């Protein structure tokens, strides 16, 4: 759905079960299913996410994939290969067995969406971190912006184009990610 849901019907559409409670609330661009495997492309991440157990748990696969290719808008599966059609004008192929090889159903990797879009132009959306502190560092390690996240967006329009590191922190928890400013 457009609001972050992957739903499953087992009775010809009479009822639906949310199979994506671990996913962030953002648009699902594309889905593909092979057996118990579900592949999804989300609007708020530059990654493909994968469930190996019919949506009970999700793991990030191909992290940063859309950073260089554009968002994935279509999947196709043929044999042991998945093909991804992207907004960047390309079609990419990956071997499914390589993507699912290290996914453990009893110890899934979380789907961590810290901010988006990335690359950013005028703002980054950080709705999941309202109430957290943040710091943005340039490539030389200088803090170029900091503050308390009080709304869903942080204005980054004044930052020069380039690469940055963004640090979110609150009560002993810390998340550090790379950010590109267009």
């Amino acid at each position: 759905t457009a609001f972050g849901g992957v739903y499953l019907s087992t009775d010809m559409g009479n009822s639906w079960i949310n199979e994506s409670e671990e996913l962030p609330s953002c648009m699902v661009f594309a889905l593909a299913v092979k057996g118990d495997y579900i592949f999804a492309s989300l609007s708020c991440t530059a990654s493909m996410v994968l469930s190996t157990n019919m949506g009970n748990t999700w793991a990030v696969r191909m992290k940063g994939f859309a950073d260089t290719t554009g968002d994935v808008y279509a999947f196709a599966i043929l044999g042991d290969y998945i093909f991804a059609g992207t907004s960047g004008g390309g079609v990419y192929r990956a071997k499914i067995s390589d993507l699912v090889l290290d996914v453990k159903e009893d110890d899934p990797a979380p789907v961590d969406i810290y901010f988006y879009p990335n690359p950013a132009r005028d703002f980054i959306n950080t709705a999941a971190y309202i109430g957290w502190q943040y710091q943005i560092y340039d490539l030389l390690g200088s803090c170029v912006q900091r503050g308390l996240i009080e709304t869903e967006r942080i204005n980054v329009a004044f930052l020069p184009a380039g690469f940055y590191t963004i640090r979110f922190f609150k009560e002993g928890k810390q998340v550090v990610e790379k950010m590109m400013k267009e």
Side-chain angles (χ1 to χ4, degrees):
T1 68
F3 299 102
V6 176
Y7 291 85
L8 170 69
S9 176
T10 58
D11 58 3
M12 302 298 291
N14 290 317
S15 63
W16 295 88
I17 301 166
N18 185 348
E19 294 292 344
S20 59
E21 292 178 2
E22 291 186 6
L23 291 177
S25 295
C26 54
M27 186 179 301
V28 177
F29 283 148
L31 282 176
V33 178
K34 181 174 183 175
D36 288 344
Y37 304 150
I38 304 173
F39 299 87
S41 170
L42 307 177
S43 64
C44 58
T45 178
S47 304
M48 174 177 35
V49 294
L50 165 67
S51 174
T52 59
N53 54 13
M54 292 300 293
N56 291 319
T57 57
W58 295 85
V60 174
R61 287 294 167 265
M62 298 170 74
K63 184 171 173 72
F65 180 72
D67 289 346
T68 57
T69 64
D71 292 317
V72 174
Y73 286 128
F75 288 122
I77 295 177
L78 181 61
D80 190 36
Y81 288 92
I82 185 166
F83 298 84
T86 70
S87 62
V91 176
Y92 296 85
R93 178 183 76 168
K95 197 166 187 177
I96 292 173
S97 58
D98 291 343
L99 296 173
V100 301
L101 186 60
D102 61 348
V103 175
K104 298 174 189 152
E105 292 180 12
D106 59 341
D107 187 24
V111 177
D112 295 326
I113 309 302
Y114 303 118
F115 67 94
Y116 62 94
N118 191 14
R121 282 202 179 136
D122 298 324
F123 68 90
I124 56 174
N125 187 322
T126 57
Y129 292 93
I130 291 175
W132 289 51
Q133 299 285 326
Y134 75 96
Q135 296 172 332
I136 300 176
Y137 296 90
D138 64 16
L139 286 177
L140 298 175
S142 299
C143 183
V144 295
Q145 186 174 337
R146 70 176 69 216
L148 173 66
I149 301 171
E150 297 178 302
T151 65
E152 293 182 358
R153 293 181 171 186
I154 296 173
N155 184 351
V156 294
F158 71 93
L159 291 175
F163 294 94
Y164 296 87
T165 301
I166 186 165
R167 175 180 172 239
F168 301 99
F169 55 98
K170 177 182 180 179
E171 299 172 358
K173 297 178 186 175
Q174 175 175 272
V175 175
V176 179
E177 284 288 321
K178 295 176 185 173
M179 180 182 85
M180 186 173 122
K181 168 70 169 63
E182 293 182 326

